[in-house]
C-alpha cells in the first residue's frame, strides 16, 4: 500500500540555522502531498501542500517541492526560530482514500 | 469561523469500560475522519464519515466504532477498553469527501486507560 517515510528525529538546531526534513513516498497514481505541524498539546495544522509534480508549497518561510522523479517532498526553511519547535508530519492523499502519514519528525530549536 | 471541536479533551477510564468521544466539524464541512495517535504507532486512520455514511475504515478491531449525525457531528466509541487504547484521538473535517484536499484537525481527546 501507499506509504510515507520521514527522517527520524529529533532534529536539533540553533536559531537561524537551515532546516531540511526529508520525506519520501511510495504510492501508485498521483497523490497530493502535505506537511502538517503539531505544536505541543495541540492538534495538527496544515503547513503546506502540493497537488502535482513540480508544484512548490510554501508557508511561513517553509517550502517543499513535489519531486515525482525522486518520490520526495523534503521540507526546508532557511532560518528556523525557537517557535518552530514542533513535530512535523509528511503525508499523502489520493482521491477517495485516507490521508497517510509518516511517523513524524520532532524539531528542537535552541536560542 | 470556529474550528473543529473535540470533547472531552482529557479523560481517564479503566480497562473494560467504554468511552464515547465527540467531534463537531467546521461549519459546512460534511466529511469527518478519526485518527489515533500513539508514540509507538504514530497516526493511524480509524474511519471516515460523509453524509452519515462510513466511507473508509482503517484496520482496527470492531471495538472501535463511529457514527455521524445529520448535522455532520460525529462520535466514536471504544468498547471494552484495553491499556493499549490509551492515545490521543484526533478528529479532522473537510468540506468534501474523497478530495485530496486539506483536513482541519481538532486538538484531540486524550484517553488514558488504567
Amino acid at each position: 500500500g501507499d506509504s510515507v517515510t520521514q527522517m527520524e528525529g529529533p532534529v536539533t538546531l540553533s536559531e537561524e540555522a537551515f532546516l531540511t526534513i526529508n520525506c519520501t513516498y511510495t504510492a501508485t497514481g498521483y497523490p497530493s502531498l502535505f506537511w502538517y505541524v503539531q505544536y505541543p498539546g495541540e492538534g495538527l495544522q496544515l503547513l503546506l501542500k502540493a497537488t502535482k509534480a513540480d508544484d512548490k508549497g510554501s508557508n511561513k518561510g517553509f517550502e517543499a517541492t513535489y519531486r515525482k522523479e525522486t518520490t520526495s517532498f523534503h521540507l526546508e526553511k532557511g532560518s528556523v526560530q525557537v517557535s518552530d519547535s514542533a513535530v512535523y508530519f509528511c503525508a499523502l492523499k489520493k482521491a477517495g482514500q485516507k490521508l497517510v502519514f509518516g511517523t513524524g519528525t520532532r524539531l528542537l530549536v535552541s536560542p | 469561523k470556529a474550528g473543529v471541536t473535540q470533547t472531552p479533551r482529557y479523560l481517564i477510564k479503566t480497562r473494560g469500560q467504554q468511552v464515547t468521544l465527540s467531534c463537531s466539524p467546521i461549519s459546512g464541512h460534511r466529511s469527518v475522519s478519526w485518527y489515533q495517535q500513539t508514540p509507538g504507532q504514530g497516526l493511524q486512520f480509524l474511519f471516515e464519515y460523509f453524509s452519515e455514511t462510513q466511507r473508509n475504515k482503517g484496520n482496527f478491531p470492531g471495538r472501535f466504532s463511529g457514527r455521524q449525525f445529520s448535522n455532520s457531528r460525529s462520535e466514536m466509541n471504544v468498547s471494552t477498553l484495553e491499556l493499549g487504547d490509551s492515545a490521543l484521538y484526533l478528529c479532522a473535517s473537510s468540506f468534501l469527501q474523497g478530495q485530496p484536499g486539506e483536513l482541519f484537525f481538532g486538538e484531540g481527546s486524550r484517553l488514558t486507560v488504567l
Side-chain angles (χ1 to χ4, degrees), chain B residues 2-3 6 8 15 17 20 25 40 53 55 69 72 79 84 91 95 97:
Chain B
Q6 292 189 244
R15 280 180 297 176
Q17 288 187 310
T20 299
T53 302
R55 303 291 177 155
F69 302 95
S72 295
S79 62
C91 168
F95 180 63
Q97 186 268 340

Side-chain angles (χ1 to χ4, degrees), chain A residues 4 6 21 23 33-39 42-48 73 75 86-92 99-106, chain B residues 37-38 41-43 90:
Chain A
V4 175
Q6 289 181 238
I21 299 178
C23 170
L33 302 175
F34 304 85
W35 277 100
Y36 280 84
V37 58
Q38 186 175 33
Y39 298 101
E42 299 184 12
L44 276 70
Q45 303 173 25
L46 179 69
L47 182 59
L48 52 84
F73 194 54
L75 182 68
V87 180
Y88 292 81
F89 293 90
C90 186
L92 69 81
L99 191 62
V100 177
F101 286 96
T103 53
T105 302
R106 183 176 299 278
Chain B
Q37 186 178 24
T38 59
Q41 300 297 316
L43 284 154
L90 292 166

Side-chain angles (χ1 to χ4, degrees), chain A residues 10-23:
Chain A
V11 173
T12 304
L13 295 173
S14 298
E15 205 165 25
E16 299 183 2
F18 184 86
L19 168 71
T20 299
I21 299 178
N22 290 337
C23 170

